[in-house]
Amino acid sequence: MAKQPAGGKQGAGKQASGKTTVGAGGELHQTNSDPETRLTTNQGVPVSDDQNTLTVGPRGPQLLEDFVMREKITHFDHERIPERVVHARGYGAHGYFETYKSHSKLTRAAFLQDPGVRTPVFCRFSTVAGRAGSFDTARDVRGMAVKFYTTEGNYDLVGNNIPVFFIQDAMKFPDLVHSVKPAPDRDFPQAQSAHDSFWDFVGLTPESMHMLLWVMSDRAIPRSFRMMEGFGVHTFRMINKRGEATLVKFHWRPKLGTFSLVWDEAVKISGADPDFHRRDLWTAIESGDFPEWELSVQAFTEEQAAEFDFDVLDPTKVVPEELVPLTPLGRMVLDRNVDNFFAETEQVAFCPSHMVPGIDLSNDPLLQGRLFSYLDTQLSRLGSPNFHQIPINAPKCPMHNFQRDGHMQTMVPTGRVSNEPNSLDDGTPREDPAGGFQTFPAQEAGSKMRTRPESFADHYTQARLFYRSMTPPEQEHIVGGFAFELGKCQLTRVRTRMLGHLKLVDKELADAVADKLGMPGQADKIKPAAEPFDMPPSPALSQYAKAPKSIAGKKIGLLTTPGADVKLYKSLLKTAKAESAMVEVIAPKAGPLEMSDGSTIQPEHFLSGAPSVLFDAVVIAPADDSLASDPNAVNWLRDAFAHQKVIGYNANTESLFAKAAVEQGADAGVVEVTDGKFEAFVTQAKKHRIWDRVV
Ligand code: HDE
């Protein structure tokens, strides 16, 4: 299934055309004398031996003059660039954006005018806290950064899967990040926020309360990048040809719906498959199941914004969709994996300051700080002001100016003129007053000061709104999230302070967390900067209230044994295909699996390497009752049941269920499928989980 990388001079993937040779050390390697494809140094010098360093005699000292070996090792020594200080672990793919229609009333942005035009995009998803080598399913915010290669320059929408942020002013960002990163003395814990330094910082920073509710919710453990919403977070402006401005908030909605893992799954997946999310995205794209998102805006005027109970410049606030509904703009499809992770995903440089005509900024203080930070970080990460020349960052429209030279300059500008104005050469680039980027002429006045607007002071109302807009299972998960994280904090004052904040959010929430911690009645008394009030609940904030009843894009695991019922297997494949879902087979051993008709299939997994946490719904249909004596199989079933999954089973599973203490037909989600009929199974699986299953 893997796509062969592009061939060419460095052609990997193709069978070498030359001879296979056994080297002096017994190694097998290929030789090739074709000048088009043979191995060379970076200077193009053909290499005769890539296995052995130059020595004096077979056992003698190595020679410094071996420029072939030194060039190879030196290059290797410099293979890494600094990883991103945040969002280091990420995964990207190419695709396109198509506008549904012309949005010229709203914006003059070129990529939002012509429905027939596909604008190329590159999208990178990421976790925030962990290093590049950390695991995918950490409880964390996910980044969702999209670079649109428009005909009027690159536009970067650098967003997250949560619509608010921890802090209101960029000045606090280094402290926030230092607090969540591993402690500097001991360098742990990695890739998680369940520790004293994080909860101490956020407990002292009440503006983070709304974000904390989101981060303790299911949003922070997404099932898949393909099943994640995305948000621009800040308020931006759109400007039309007449120069009229509308305030907007950006939203990405996944076509598959928004789904999450449960915490115990996330924990187990991090061991079973640390690459769970990247593998999922890569596999879906390779198999032609291209993920898709709808881009929408909430569009409103300055006058409307002035009427809201919150300040739209405050990045800790959402504009409830019940107040301003979404206006769909177009769709993004990711249809091509990268050819090279480093060249593309690692070197892509997103900057919120990469704007295009028709889109403009607001005074959100966090956004303003980001405008500085990202360009600055690219200089240190990519090492040169010419990072825009790296193919993944280069605009796909004409680009001309008089910026010159610098490290790793790859362009060769011609002519004697590198300045403007000039009257020496009419062919040099000139400004375009009408077509060029124009900043909206917002009126600004005031004294210079370091302060926070009073309108940013209410830190609890929207946290309460979020909690009260959740379905009961989502609320339970939030309680579990807080209890887990605070339970990992060793300092009592860190816990009691947070319980005090939670009390201001919602008393029931605070009591439930305190109860789980075994600390009832121990909340600190906290005086809020502004008294919270009740807003009408916003069902649009709940993932499950609006989840599509579908298993499209989901994965069904079929656990079976040699002699597996071929009819049932084929019927499951057919059913899954009709629902755009995937099936993967798990057998006790890795080798080919014999089926009931004597044919063989290659199972995707062997049992001890593929716990049921890797699948959205499971079918257990062995050929006999041998699984009952395999502890991996017992745990497989127990976990699937505990994670509220839909479980299909056949007649050979009675003793396995007894061992796992799961009752066959325990609820509507434990379905017999011996006859190979999957209608009831699919109907249940479309609920995502059996929410009312008590475990
Ligand atoms: Fe970032 N952020 N950020 N951030 N951010 C970075 O830029 C920063 C913030 C986001 O896939 C860094 O190239 C500051 C909000 C994403 O390459 C850095 C502040 C949101 C990515 C940086 C914020 C984001 C980054 C690290 C507070 C959601 C990954 C490496 C003012 C709207 C992009 C890099 C990718 C990456 C700074 C807050 C999203 C250091 C100073 C709010 C998706 O420049």
Side-chain angles (χ1 to χ4, degrees), residues 11 47 95 102-103 120 126 189 264 309 346 411 442 486 516 544 580 587 607 620 647 654:
V47 173
S102 168
H103 299 287
S126 47
D264 188 56
D309 292 329
E346 192 58 13
M411 300 204 296
L486 294 175
K516 272 195 183 281
Y544 296 123
S580 305
L607 181 52
I620 309 181
I647 302 169
E654 214 171 300

Side-chain angles (χ1 to χ4, degrees), residues 60-221:
Q62 298 193 346
L63 294 174
L64 195 59
E65 72 173 61
D66 186 353
F67 62 89
V68 179
M69 180 270 193
R70 274 191 298 116
E71 182 200 78
K72 184 175 175 184
I73 297 287
T74 305
H75 195 278
F76 171 76
D77 291 344
H78 297 265
E79 270 181 9
R80 291 290 164 272
I81 59 173
E83 66 174 34
R84 290 162 174 83
V85 57
V86 282
H87 297 266
R89 183 169 178 82
Y91 210 64
H94 297 271
Y96 59 87
F97 176 83
E98 258 174 352
T99 188
Y100 292 142
K101 58 173 194 154
S102 168
H103 299 287
S104 57
K105 271 197 188 145
L106 201 56
T107 175
R108 54 166 286 201
F111 71 106
L112 291 168
Q113 305 306 320
D114 302 316
V117 173
R118 287 186 169 183
T119 299
V121 299
F122 185 76
C123 176
R124 182 176 180 272
F125 303 97
S126 47
T127 55
V128 177
R131 297 199 177 117
S134 55
F135 49 94
D136 278 351
T137 56
R139 177 180 289 285
D140 201 350
V141 189
R142 298 298 184 285
M144 179 172 173
V146 181
K147 191 181 283 294
F148 298 75
Y149 302 90
T150 87
T151 53
E152 292 191 333
N154 287 356
Y155 170 53
D156 291 355
L157 181 50
V158 195
N160 279 344
N161 76 328
I162 290 181
V164 289
F165 202 63
F166 294 99
I167 47 171
Q168 296 172 322
D169 190 313
M171 184 84 150
K172 298 171 82 117
F173 191 64
D175 299 297
L176 166 72
V177 174
H178 289 170
S179 82
V180 75
K181 286 273 186 181
D185 57 349
R186 61 207 72 177
D187 201 39
F188 62 80
Q190 305 264 349
Q192 57 185 299
S193 54
H195 49 82
D196 284 309
S197 54
F198 175 73
W199 287 98
D200 183 45
F201 175 81
V202 292
L204 296 169
T205 311
E207 69 207 55
S208 53
M209 284 314 131
H210 187 193
M211 179 70 171
L212 288 173
L213 265 284
W214 284 80
V215 177
M216 292 305 110
S217 81
D218 293 348
R219 300 279 179 155
I221 40 172

Side-chain angles (χ1 to χ4, degrees), residues 265 612-613 615-616 640-641 643-647 669 689 693:
E265 278 177 317
S612 60
V613 289
F615 310 99
D616 297 284
F641 188 76
H643 300 148
Q644 298 169 309
K645 283 182 181 150
V646 173
I647 302 169
R689 290 182 202 277
R693 179 181 295 163

Side-chain angles (χ1 to χ4, degrees), residues 422-682:
N422 77 69
S423 63
L424 300 184
D425 184 349
D426 279 345
T428 57
R430 308 290 186 194
E431 294 151 275
D432 176 0
F437 182 90
Q438 277 176 359
T439 295
F440 180 70
Q443 294 281 324
E444 305 291 353
S447 319
K448 289 184 184 174
M449 53 175 70
R450 291 184 190 274
T451 189
R452 198 73 59 84
E454 257 177 54
S455 53
F456 282 27
D458 176 1
H459 305 313
Y460 302 97
T461 295
Q462 286 213 353
R464 180 181 294 174
L465 167 72
F466 179 74
Y467 184 69
R468 294 191 182 165
S469 303
M470 295 294 106
T471 58
E474 287 170 309
Q475 288 186 334
E476 257 175 57
H477 295 169
I478 293 172
V479 170
F482 275 109
F484 177 89
E485 299 254 326
L486 294 175
K488 290 270 183 179
C489 296
Q490 281 154 6
L491 298 174
T492 311
R493 66 174 175 279
V494 169
R495 295 183 187 168
T496 54
R497 193 192 293 138
M498 270 311 304
L499 289 174
H501 287 299
L502 292 183
K503 225 168 144 182
L504 290 166
V505 174
D506 182 280
K507 187 167 174 316
E508 275 176 30
L509 163 68
D511 289 348
V513 175
D515 183 53
K516 272 195 183 281
L517 287 172
M519 297 175 68
Q522 293 187 48
D524 286 359
K525 191 152 177 43
I526 290 181
K527 190 170 160 21
E531 278 300 327
F533 59 93
D534 293 346
M535 290 175 79
S538 167
L541 294 174
S542 159
Q543 291 188 76
Y544 296 123
K546 61 179 185 218
K549 296 273 174 284
S550 155
I551 54 168
K554 302 251 184 84
K555 205 189 266 183
I556 302 168
L558 168 62
L559 174 58
T560 186
T561 59
D565 181 348
V566 78
K567 204 176 119 231
L568 180 143
Y569 168 63
K570 287 195 172 151
S571 161
L572 179 59
L573 287 185
K574 201 168 147 210
T575 310
K577 196 168 174 214
E579 298 286 342
S580 305
M582 281 171 272
V583 176
E584 289 185 353
V585 175
I586 305 98
K589 294 187 181 158
L593 176 76
E594 196 174 328
M595 307 295 282
S596 56
D597 62 354
S599 63
T600 54
I601 62 164
Q602 179 54 53
E604 278 79 10
H605 305 277
F606 59 97
L607 181 52
S608 61
S612 60
V613 289
L614 300 180
F615 310 99
D616 297 284
V618 298
V619 177
I620 309 181
D624 51 38
D625 68 357
S626 56
L627 289 179
S629 51
D630 185 339
N632 287 316
V634 177
N635 285 335
W636 213 86
L637 170 57
R638 257 189 209 142
D639 266 0
F641 188 76
H643 300 148
Q644 298 169 309
K645 283 182 181 150
V646 173
I647 302 169
Y649 63 92
N650 74 359
N652 298 325
T653 54
E654 214 171 300
S655 34
L656 175 68
F657 273 66
K659 269 259 175 78
V662 174
E663 200 188 317
Q664 297 198 331
D667 56 45
V670 186
V671 192
E672 174 148 18
V673 293
T674 311
D675 57 5
K677 295 211 169 89
F678 283 95
E679 287 79 10
F681 174 87
V682 167

